[in-house]
Structure formats: C-alpha cells, structure tokens
Amino acid sequence: GRTITDGEGIEVAVADDGTLTLRSGERRLHGLGAVEDRGDRGDSYDFDPVDDDPGATLRSVAIERRRHPSGIQRLVVTRVLDVPACLLPARDRRSPETVPVTVRMVVRLAPGVGRVDLHVETDNAAKDHRLRLLFPTAAPTERFHAATTFNVAMRTTAPPDTHGWWHDPPETFPHQGWVSANGLTVGAPGLPEAEVTADGTIAITVLRAVGWLSHLELRRRPIPAGPTLVAPEAQCPDGIAAQLTLRLGEPLDAGHDPGLLVATAQADELGLRGTPAGPAPLLAEGTSLLTIEPPAVVLSALKPAEDDDGFVVRVLNPTDRATRATITLGLPVTDAESVRLDETPDGRALDRSGSRLTVAVGAHELRSVRVRPT
C-alpha cells in the first residue's frame, strides 16, 4: 500500500520516514523529499544559521494510497515535525519549546506523462527557521544545470575563491524553475532558491521564516543589506503550497546541449489546462492547435497582437546551435510576418506553406511571428 506506478517504467514507494524511492527504468534513487529544518538568524536577504542547532524531530508519518479509474495514482504523505518555536531573545540559539509543523506531500503518477508530480503544503507555527526538501542523486557532482531567464546556467559545487571578499557567497543560488544534477531534474516553479551539494543532493527551499527585512547582526554578512525594518509576515505564518516535479534520466555531460531539458521542464511547469469553448469542437479530433519542431525549440509566448491584428507566436532556441523552427497551426492562416519584440515588422525571412511557418532561429535567440488567421 506504499507503492504506485504509471505502468510504463516509473515507480514511487514511500519509506517509514516519509521519503520517496523513485525508480525509472534501470535507475533508482532513495531518500527523495527528506525534510531539513534549520534555525535562521537571517533576514529577507540572507540565511544565517544558528550554532548547535537541534533541528526538527519527526513526530509522525501517515501514508495513504489512492487510485483513479483513469490510471492516475497518488500517495498522500503527511509528516508532522516538532520544530523549535523561535529564536531565544539573544538570537544565538533556538528555543527548547517546540511547535508542530505539518508537511503534506501528494505524489502523483499519470500514464504517459513520464514524470512525478509533487504537491507540497506546509503550515507554519514556528518562527526563525528555514525548511527545505532534499533530493539526493546518489553520486557526487562537480557540475550541474539550472534554469535562468531564457537560458540554462552550468554551475559548480566547488567553492569560489573569495580572497579579498567582504561578503562570502551563499551556498544557495536563484533559479528560474528547475535544477538538474546527475540526471535528476527537480522542477520547482515559484521556489527560486536552491543548493546542490558536492555529494549530489539537490536542496529546494520551501520556506524561510524570518522577521526582518534586513537585520544588523548577521554573521554571514558584514553590513546591512537594506532598511532594518520588522516584517512579521515574513515569518510565513500561513505556510506555503507549491508544485514540484521529478524527472529521472541520463546525466548531462559537459558537452551535452540542454535544449531538450529546457523544453521538457517548461512543459512540466505549464501542465494541462482546460478552457470552456462551447459545445462544438474548434478543431478536428487529433489536430493540435499549435506544434513546434524541433522539440528543443521552446514556445515563449502565444498572445493577441497589441494592435488586435492577429496574434503573435514567440519561440526561443535555448541551445548553442542555430536551427530552423517549424510552427504548425491547426487553423487556416491568411498571412504571417516576422516581427520584433515590439511587434513591428523586422523584414526577416519567413517561409509559409498554408498553416506551416518556418523561421531561422540563432543560438539563444528569440523569434516572433505575427499570424493573421482566416
């Protein structure tokens, strides 16, 4: 009663401590989704750890398995932690009193999707702490990939040379939706802080509960980062809810172009959404409204034109190689032209054959096309 499968090679099982074992093909990872809780002397800018931190203790774990006739399977894992209630007045230790903090994780597998969906909810009666989910990848790593705006950054776990620095760099970094190490890609839209340790563990910050916009007495920062203002709502008293995804594949080596990873991770983030469109089908069965080839080219925007004359399709080539993108629409097209980001014509070549449009897209380039449907 603790295992679910999509019937196509992905399996998830829950251990007694509430962590997950993920099997995909021949690969298997253990201990995914472990909860780490640390005291935080910091502010809205910087995490500042507490000495001799007792951490949180696991009070209870409840596991429920659900199956739907559609083939979708779920595991509901509810963990209750005893977390130190706050910092002591001197801000150098966590209080001996604890409060319960619940972390509820719904694990979902759907046939044909190829990923694990996680819906995570926490309440938060505690103050002055950071709560993270840990995803061990079972091998050390020196380099890993993370999403940035319109690109992918290759990062390193090696500490930088900080000789002459006033402010040592944090171990965490910002990302724009996902982090990938040793073949495990963790999608975490809306949770932009992460860390990857040298042993290959991906750590995603779920919440940081702090009471100050900026504080004077941080050990990891020599000067204030902003106004010293009390910010009680920054303690996240209502907790947080977030959607994460897990994909397990082959690791990217240093020469591998991560374009397909970008497209897949973005599709995972967007998911599927239903929109009421009336009783009559707008398209014939089996016809896509929009397809883009090759798969590494990413849809960046699909929007009405600013002057209400048609709509604009914008694509991104996140790879290191120029390519030709083919955009196929599921409706008749009267006219199409290449445009700039301000949606004025740029005079660049565009090939059109009926509802199929082809444009050249350079490495790391955006291309926009205005389309006027029939």
Side-chain angles (χ1 to χ4, degrees), residues 17-20 31-38 77 79 81 102-107 117-122 130-136 175 179 184 186-188 191 193-197 200-208 240-246:
D17 62 357
T19 62
L20 309 178
L32 302 179
V35 178
E36 175 202 81
D37 190 86
R38 294 288 181 265
V77 183
R79 288 171 284 186
L81 310 173
T102 300
V103 180
R104 182 175 183 266
M105 185 164 60
V106 180
V107 186
D117 292 325
L118 304 178
H119 176 77
V120 179
E121 295 179 354
T122 73
R130 181 183 70 179
L131 189 147
R132 304 198 295 183
L133 291 178
L134 307 181
F135 300 92
H175 68 88
V179 181
L184 176 66
V186 180
L191 300 175
E193 181 181 274
E195 178 185 355
V196 177
T197 61
T201 297
I202 301 172
I204 301 294
T205 301
V206 175
L207 67 81
R208 287 190 61 234
I240 196 170
Q243 305 287 341
L244 292 88
T245 59
L246 304 178

Side-chain angles (χ1 to χ4, degrees), residues 1-215:
R2 295 186 176 189
T3 301
I4 58 175
T5 178
D6 68 348
E8 299 175 3
I10 298 179
E11 179 183 275
V12 179
V14 184
D16 290 342
D17 62 357
T19 62
L20 309 178
T21 295
L22 169 61
R23 180 182 65 82
S24 181
E26 299 300 317
R27 296 199 63 193
R28 189 184 299 268
L29 296 180
H30 303 275
L32 302 179
V35 178
E36 175 202 81
D37 190 86
R38 294 288 181 265
D40 192 348
R41 303 177 64 255
D43 51 28
S44 63
Y45 293 91
D46 288 276
F47 170 71
D48 203 40
V50 175
D51 293 337
D52 301 322
D53 189 349
T57 57
L58 185 62
R59 177 192 295 187
S60 65
V61 180
I63 302 167
E64 178 185 356
R65 185 176 64 175
R66 301 174 181 174
R67 294 184 176 183
H68 190 272
S70 66
I72 295 175
Q73 299 187 46
R74 292 179 173 87
L75 289 167
V76 182
V77 183
T78 304
R79 288 171 284 186
V80 179
L81 310 173
D82 287 322
V83 177
C86 58
L87 293 179
L88 294 175
R91 295 181 60 80
D92 60 346
R93 296 288 188 277
R94 301 180 82 177
S95 68
E97 295 80 16
T98 63
V99 294
V101 172
T102 300
V103 180
R104 182 175 183 266
M105 185 164 60
V106 180
V107 186
R108 184 180 67 182
L109 281 178
V113 174
R115 68 171 186 266
V116 181
D117 292 325
L118 304 178
H119 176 77
V120 179
E121 295 179 354
T122 73
D123 59 13
N124 186 40
K127 298 180 179 180
D128 311 314
H129 69 121
R130 181 183 70 179
L131 189 147
R132 304 198 295 183
L133 291 178
L134 307 181
F135 300 92
T137 64
T141 185
E142 295 182 357
R143 296 184 181 274
F144 61 95
H145 293 82
T148 64
T149 303
F150 299 129
N151 210 334
V152 176
M154 180 181 286
R155 293 181 171 272
T156 177
T157 58
D161 180 5
T162 59
H163 178 73
W165 289 33
W166 274 43
H167 184 185
D168 287 340
E171 292 86 359
T172 57
F173 60 88
H175 68 88
Q176 296 295 323
W178 55 266
V179 181
S180 186
N182 288 332
L184 176 66
T185 300
V186 180
L191 300 175
E193 181 181 274
E195 178 185 355
V196 177
T197 61
D199 68 0
T201 297
I202 301 172
I204 301 294
T205 301
V206 175
L207 67 81
R208 287 190 61 234
V210 295
W212 297 83
L213 178 63
S214 180
H215 200 271

Side-chain angles (χ1 to χ4, degrees), residues 264-289:
T264 302
Q266 187 192 56
D268 289 348
E269 179 178 339
L270 293 175
L272 296 175
R273 301 179 184 179
T275 302
L282 300 180
L283 299 173
E285 185 176 351
T287 301
S288 297
L289 178 63

Side-chain angles (χ1 to χ4, degrees), residues 268-341:
D268 289 348
E269 179 178 339
L270 293 175
L272 296 175
R273 301 179 184 179
T275 302
L282 300 180
L283 299 173
E285 185 176 351
T287 301
S288 297
L289 178 63
L290 175 71
T291 59
I292 299 174
E293 295 288 342
V297 175
V298 176
L299 177 66
S300 176
L302 177 61
K303 59 180 288 292
E306 292 298 313
D307 60 5
D308 295 325
D309 185 13
F311 59 89
V312 172
V313 181
R314 185 169 296 128
V315 296
L316 166 70
N317 176 11
T319 74
D320 295 328
R321 296 182 297 273
T323 189
R324 291 181 64 80
T326 298
I327 303 165
T328 304
L329 299 162
L331 45 80
V333 173
T334 298
D335 184 38
E337 63 180 338
S338 179
V339 296
R340 300 181 178 90
L341 289 176

